[in-house]
């Protein structure tokens, strides 16, 4: 069974963290949010407090098939500078898991050494921090290269979440979720 770990550090971007949690859970995927501090209460970059499911000390990387890193400043830098986060991400990657990040979140993957030789994207401006990528992609919303998934920014969170559902449960599950969310109608109405 697929199980996803979503990292939360103070200053995380709320839309980027909680949209995937909501969408993945709607699709029947188990998701644990994890606080990187010794308190489950984490405050987002827009001062919205969130209660995480678990503390980082409770996490066994063998339990997870995907790790997800939201952006937000200083959330992404707090994750990047936390060695426990880096070690968990590396362990999930080494266990043949997937690792996803969005917006400023790819700086965490860079620090963990997971972007070397990969194609990736991020929020504009963070490309300068992704020195090891083979190709920085600025004309796609979500980039998938092997087990690494990266996205551009807050408005992309729902599309990256849908991509994660597709990767973990298949295209049919993604289409079913889009139908539940009325996403096709929204896209048609707005001309997306």
């Amino acid at each position: 069974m697929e199980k996803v770990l979503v990292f939360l550090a103070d200053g995380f971007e709320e839309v980027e963290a909680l949209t995937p949690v909501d969408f993945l859970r709607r699709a029947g995927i188990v998701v644990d949010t994890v606080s990187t501090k010794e308190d489950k209460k984490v405050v987002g970059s827009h001062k919205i407090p969130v209660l995480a499911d678990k503390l980082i000390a409770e996490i066994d990387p063998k339990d997870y098939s995907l790790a997800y890193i939201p952006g937000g400043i200083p959330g992404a830098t707090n994750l990047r500078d936390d060695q426990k986060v880096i070690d968990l991400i590396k362990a999930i990657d080494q266990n043949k898991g997937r690792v996803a990040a969005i917006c400023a979140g790819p700086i965490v993957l860079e620090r963990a050494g997971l972007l070397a030789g990969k194609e990736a994207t991020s929020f504009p401006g963070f490309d300068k921090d992704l020195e090891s990528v083979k190709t920085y992609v600025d004309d796609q919303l979500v980039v998938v290269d092997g087990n690494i998934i990266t996205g551009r920014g807050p408005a992309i969170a729902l599309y990256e979440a849908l991509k994660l559902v597709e990767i973990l449960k298949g295209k049919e599950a993604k289409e079913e979720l889009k139908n539940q969310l009325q996403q096709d109608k929204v896209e048609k109405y707005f001309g997306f």
Side-chain angles (χ1 to χ4, degrees), residues 28-70:
I29 297 167
V30 176
V31 179
D32 287 333
T33 57
V34 60
S35 170
T36 59
K37 8 185 249 186
E38 294 180 10
D39 182 357
K40 288 185 178 180
K41 182 180 174 185
V42 187
V43 180
S45 61
H46 298 98
K47 309 300 180 222
I48 302 171
V50 172
L51 194 60
D53 299 313
K54 296 187 175 196
L55 299 174
I56 198 162
E58 300 174 282
I59 301 302
D60 182 345
K62 293 181 187 122
D63 293 340
Y64 298 93
S65 54
L66 188 141
Y68 178 83
I69 309 292

Side-chain angles (χ1 to χ4, degrees), residues 186-192:
V186 170
E187 290 174 1
K188 183 177 179 183
Y189 179 81
F190 288 105
F192 295 159

Side-chain angles (χ1 to χ4, degrees), residues 78-89:
N78 288 337
L79 292 173
R80 178 197 65 198
D81 297 339
D82 187 326
Q83 192 58 47
K84 292 175 286 201
V85 171
I86 299 302
D87 291 344
L88 282 169
I89 292 167

Side-chain angles (χ1 to χ4, degrees), residues 65-135:
S65 54
L66 188 141
Y68 178 83
I69 309 292
I73 297 295
T77 52
N78 288 337
L79 292 173
R80 178 197 65 198
D81 297 339
D82 187 326
Q83 192 58 47
K84 292 175 286 201
V85 171
I86 299 302
D87 291 344
L88 282 169
I89 292 167
K90 286 171 138 178
I92 290 169
D93 174 69
Q94 290 167 354
N95 289 334
K96 307 269 190 274
R98 295 176 178 92
V99 182
I102 192 168
C103 196
I107 65 173
V108 182
L109 306 186
E110 177 71 22
R111 169 93 192 285
L114 302 183
L115 294 181
K118 298 280 188 180
E119 290 187 347
T121 194
S122 67
F123 192 82
F126 284 95
D127 53 317
K128 65 183 179 345
D129 298 311
L130 308 180
E131 297 172 358
S132 71
V133 298
K134 176 180 77 175
T135 306

Side-chain angles (χ1 to χ4, degrees), residues 18 21 29 46 59 143 177-178:
L18 299 179
V21 172
I29 297 167
H46 298 98
I59 301 302
V143 175
L177 180 58
K178 282 176 71 173

